[in-house]
Structure formats: C-alpha cells, structure tokens
Amino acid sequence: MAKRRVVVALGGNAILSKDASAQAQQEALRQTAKYLVQFVKQGDELVVSHGNGPQVGNLLLQQAAGSTETNPAMPIDTAVSMTQGSIGYWLQNALREELVNAGLTQSVATVVTQVEVSETDHAFEDPSKPIGPFYTREVAEQQHVEHPDYRYVEDAGRGYRRVVPSPKPVNVVEADVVENLVDNGIIPVSVGGGGVPVVRVGNRLEGREAVIDKDFASEKLAEQINADTLIILTAVDHVFVNFNKPDQKSLTKVTVPELKQYIEEGQFAKGSMLPKVQAAIDFVEHTDHGQTVITSLENIGEFLASGEGTIISKVAENATK
C-alpha cells in the first residue's frame, strides 16, 4: 500500500470511560498507541487528534467546586487548552513508548491548537455539545440547581449531560505548524478537544466559551494539511442504518449522496454518529482525492489489512453491503 497522510481522530470517551484517574487514562492511551503505531509501521504519515468531552467537563466541575473570588475558575476555552496539554502529554509519551518498542525512531509533539470560529455562529445561542459525565435525570436536575447557568439534555439514550455551544470550525490556526512537523517526519498530536475556540478581532485571537466538535475540527485540519485519509474512530466497526432494529445493516463502501439520504431519514443520532457522518462528508466533498473511514480503534488492523470499515467516497464502488 502506498504511503498516505492520515489524520486519525480519537474520541474523548476512548481515553476515559468510568475511571477518571490520571493512571487509568494513561493506561487507556498506552493501549490506544499500540493500534496507532500500525500506521507508522506501514510507512504512513500519521497525525492524531482527540476529543476531550469527558475530560473538559470534569475539569470544569472541579474548578466550579473550588472556585473562589481570589482563585476563580477558568473559562471553557482555557479549560480546553488545559486538557489539550494533559491528554497530549499522556498520548505523546504513550506513542513514543510504543514506537521505541517497535524499533521506530519518529518523534511525537503536541501542538496546543487554536481553531477559528465565526462570532456570529448560531451555535452560541443554541448550546448542543455534550461534555462531562453522564447523569441520571434526577442528578442532572440537582446539578442544574447548583449551577443555574448550565444546561443539561438527554444524550443518545445514555443519560443526561451538560451541553455548551459548539460552533463550526472555519480555520485551524496552527495548520501550517502541523504540516511542517509532518513534512519533517514528526507525528503531531493536534486539535485536541476540537481545538481552542477563538474569533479573530483585528490582529488578535480571542477565546470563546465553547467546545468545537473534534470530528469537524479534525476534518478541517485534514483539509488544510492535504491529508489523503481522515479516519474517525468510534465504538463500532461500521456505521449502521436501522441501528438496533431487526433490519439493521452495516455500511461498508458508501457514497456521499447515500449518506445524505440516510441523514434525511434520521438514521444517525444527533449526539453521537451524526457529526461523524457529517464530518466524513465534508472531507470527501472538499478534497479531490481524499476518503473518510469510520471504524473502531480495535478494527484498525482489519482496516489496514483488508479495508474493513465504513469507507466514504464521492462515487459508487459496490456502494453498500
């Protein structure tokens, strides 16, 4: 297989499940690194991005609990940058360890990444991005009493989570830095948590209280660095239609028009699979040669060996299975 430039987007929930301790998250990333290094072994240029929904939500809760007049909690944009640093620190060390174990010499570097959004994005008036832990309805109602400014919604049947504004990315500010690192054989960890949301005010970049969806930010980065493949990792090996129904069907090779039709049918959950599918479509539509793959971390070996996963392209090629 020819060398490709690959952006792999990890979900925040792949790093943190039930145990929020630093030790548990570092151990999860060591396991993740074993899968990611497979791309490097076959000669691909690897760029890693990651979510931070659970981590930034937990950090905001910790800050709110300990906030005082003389030691106030930091705003969301700063909390995003803090989790970029902490997760990047864990991930670059995990990758470095696995690279050395495999006899590889590449370096890994985390880029604290700013992502430009529009000041007039309607998302600022309609918070929709879930962050932090899942709650029962009763606990979410109590959290709302304690934090009246917080908004909680039911998230894909899994419980209630806090939601914050999630504007669409228009530019990855440090994309040129990421591209320079890749060109020099270095593996970048970038757009962590979707990047720090900023707006351009004259020559200044100002942070905003929001969390950008990491799949849309990863797509924008993949565009800007001329990636060949965007791989969005999730909990399942394939995207499904009629999910959890008797006529459930996995999608293997699928075209953009087919996916748009499935979106119109309401096939994908708004808080989970829908943004991944929309980001996949964006990358394919905005590049001449690119393809998007949606699959699980555990399926990476099968994807590399036989192309197993949901592969999105512009034109039909045995469209669906």
Side-chain angles (χ1 to χ4, degrees):
M1 186 180 291
K3 181 172 76 171
R4 301 167 299 178
R5 178 165 293 185
V6 179
V7 174
V8 178
L10 297 171
N13 286 300
I15 306 165
L16 187 159
S17 53
K18 293 182 179 179
D19 187 343
S21 69
Q23 292 80 4
Q25 293 186 73
Q26 288 177 80
E27 179 55 34
L29 285 169
R30 288 190 193 99
Q31 299 307 312
T32 295
K34 296 180 188 298
Y35 292 101
L36 295 179
V37 166
Q38 294 179 66
F39 290 100
V40 187
K41 285 180 178 177
Q42 73 166 25
D44 289 332
E45 296 176 335
L46 177 64
V47 179
V48 184
S49 64
H50 61 82
N52 73 341
Q55 294 84 359
V56 76
N58 288 349
L59 177 58
L60 290 168
L61 287 173
Q62 292 166 1
Q63 292 198 104
S67 179
T68 65
E69 187 174 339
T70 56
N71 186 26
M74 295 292 104
I76 295 177
D77 59 306
T78 301
V80 170
S81 71
M82 293 164 73
T83 56
Q84 277 195 15
S86 60
I87 296 171
Y89 154 58
W90 296 333
L91 182 52
Q92 69 185 32
N93 278 340
L95 279 169
R96 179 186 178 279
E97 179 180 349
E98 196 58 33
L99 288 163
V100 171
N101 289 343
L104 300 166
T105 60
Q106 283 88 339
S107 296
V108 187
T110 297
V111 179
V112 176
T113 316
Q114 301 172 97
V115 175
E116 189 177 348
V117 300
S118 170
E119 185 79 274
T120 59
D121 193 307
H122 69 86
F124 287 108
E125 281 73 53
D126 183 25
S128 63
K129 176 66 176 174
I131 63 171
F134 290 92
Y135 298 110
T136 63
R137 184 187 186 96
E138 293 73 22
V139 173
E141 289 173 349
Q142 181 58 39
Q143 287 286 329
H144 182 64
V145 170
E146 295 175 9
H147 307 286
D149 294 337
Y150 291 5
R151 179 180 172 188
Y152 293 85
V153 300
E154 195 271 337
D155 181 9
R158 296 174 291 177
Y160 286 77
R161 296 176 80 187
R162 182 186 172 191
V163 289
V164 298
S166 184
K168 292 290 288 289
V170 297
N171 175 51
V172 177
V173 178
E174 286 79 20
D176 59 336
V177 177
V178 174
E179 188 160 29
N180 283 334
L181 290 171
V182 175
D183 288 344
N184 284 280
I186 298 168
I187 300 170
V189 178
S190 181
V191 293
V196 179
V198 296
V199 298
R200 195 172 295 275
V201 181
N203 291 329
R204 180 186 304 162
L205 295 172
E206 293 185 355
R208 289 293 181 266
E209 289 269 289
V211 172
I212 302 168
D213 184 277
K214 74 98 176 42
D215 295 315
F216 287 121
S218 301
E219 185 282 321
K220 183 59 65 176
L221 175 67
E223 271 187 59
Q224 291 182 236
I225 66 169
N226 298 307
D228 300 296
T229 305
L230 169 64
I231 299 179
I232 299 175
L233 298 179
T234 185
V236 291
D237 293 351
H238 298 90
V239 178
F240 293 91
V241 292
N242 303 321
F243 186 59
N244 276 342
K245 296 179 181 178
D247 56 347
Q248 172 178 294
K249 179 175 68 172
S250 63
L251 303 179
T252 54
K253 293 184 172 68
V254 60
T255 65
V256 166
E258 288 175 306
L259 280 182
K260 288 182 176 180
Q261 179 61 42
Y262 290 137
I263 290 173
E264 287 186 15
E265 295 172 5
Q267 288 282 359
F268 309 121
K270 184 177 180 180
S272 55
M273 188 57 74
L274 181 59
K276 300 179 192 307
V277 170
Q278 290 172 324
I281 289 171
D282 286 349
F283 182 65
V284 173
E285 287 190 326
H286 294 155
T287 56
D288 294 330
H289 58 281
Q291 68 172 6
T292 309
V293 179
I294 301 178
T295 191
S296 68
L297 180 69
E298 295 77 11
N299 194 53
I300 282 177
E302 287 299 317
F303 164 69
L304 291 174
S306 60
E308 190 67 24
T310 296
I311 300 176
I312 297 97
S313 59
K314 288 181 182 176
V315 296
E317 182 188 344
N318 303 322
T320 61
K321 180 167 77 178

